[in-house]
Amino acid sequence: MGNKQVIGTGEIQAISAGTGITHSEHNNSGHESVNFLQIWVMPKTLNISPRYEQRKIDGKKNNNFKLIVAPMGTLDCVGINQDSFFSMAKMDVDRTISYEKYNPNNGVYFFIIDGKVSIGQQQLSKRDGIGITGENHIPINSHEPSEVLCMEVPMK
């Protein structure tokens, strides 16, 4: 698509290869390390036109989940070609928040970006993850300041 983009701290980028694009990644700095997540989501519809979107994530997500990625056409989010919903929360210490699924048939995967939390009886620390199915209301308890990414995706 002819774009050379730098992804900065607090930004997300969505690429749909669709009918085909060439894509590569590299660290733009010769002296700083890079740390990012690359998440692949199976598309809902195949052979669509390639598309690209990049956005800075709004910082207002303290002690509540903020929707950041959703099906194309959802306002105020990066759009993707799937019935998936990605949300982020920054939690203060000793807080409990709940994630409510957008679609009861979806599964949810939580990834702990930073901190320590409990989801159910499972304690999770930085870079841990847990997948949950069959629950629509999922409480998360923080044991220290934490940042949590939630990826809700179709199971079929």
Side-chain angles (χ1 to χ4, degrees):
M1 297 175 76
N3 294 334
K4 287 191 177 188
Q5 300 295 325
V6 175
I7 303 171
T9 301
E11 291 184 328
I12 55 176
Q13 180 186 77
I15 298 171
S16 175
T19 55
I21 61 171
T22 300
H23 173 73
S24 66
E25 294 154 358
H26 68 279
N27 185 349
N28 204 38
S29 173
H31 59 281
E32 294 179 281
S33 63
V34 67
N35 187 9
F36 71 100
L37 296 174
Q38 184 177 57
I39 302 164
W40 293 75
V41 178
M42 293 298 293
K44 182 177 180 177
T45 305
L46 299 177
N47 298 315
I48 63 171
S49 297
R51 63 179 290 279
Y52 166 88
E53 185 176 354
Q54 183 171 326
R55 234 186 246 208
K56 182 117 177 116
I57 299 172
D58 182 357
K60 299 175 187 171
K61 51 188 175 286
N62 285 357
N63 299 310
N64 204 356
F65 279 101
K66 165 125 176 99
L67 187 64
I68 58 172
V69 173
M72 285 190 283
T74 305
L75 297 177
D76 232 12
C77 297
V78 169
I80 62 172
N81 172 26
Q82 185 51 272
D83 295 327
S84 297
F85 303 86
F86 288 28
S87 300
M88 286 187 67
K90 285 187 181 179
M91 300 175 66
D92 296 327
V93 66
D94 295 325
R95 294 297 294 248
T96 299
I97 63 173
S98 291
Y99 181 79
E100 300 285 338
K101 289 195 318 190
Y102 289 87
N103 182 331
N105 297 316
N106 285 351
V108 181
Y109 185 81
F110 293 97
F111 181 81
I112 311 310
I113 294 171
D114 201 9
K116 289 186 181 177
V117 302
S118 293
I119 301 176
Q121 300 300 312
Q122 189 69 45
Q123 291 204 17
L124 303 159
S125 298
K126 183 177 182 175
R127 304 199 70 74
D128 286 344
I130 187 171
I132 298 175
T133 58
E135 298 290 328
N136 292 326
H137 172 84
I138 305 162
I140 299 111
N141 305 300
S142 63
H143 305 292
E144 61 184 49
S146 301
E147 189 167 7
V148 179
L149 172 64
C150 174
M151 296 163 272
E152 179 182 331
V153 297
M155 297 303 293
K156 295 181 181 181

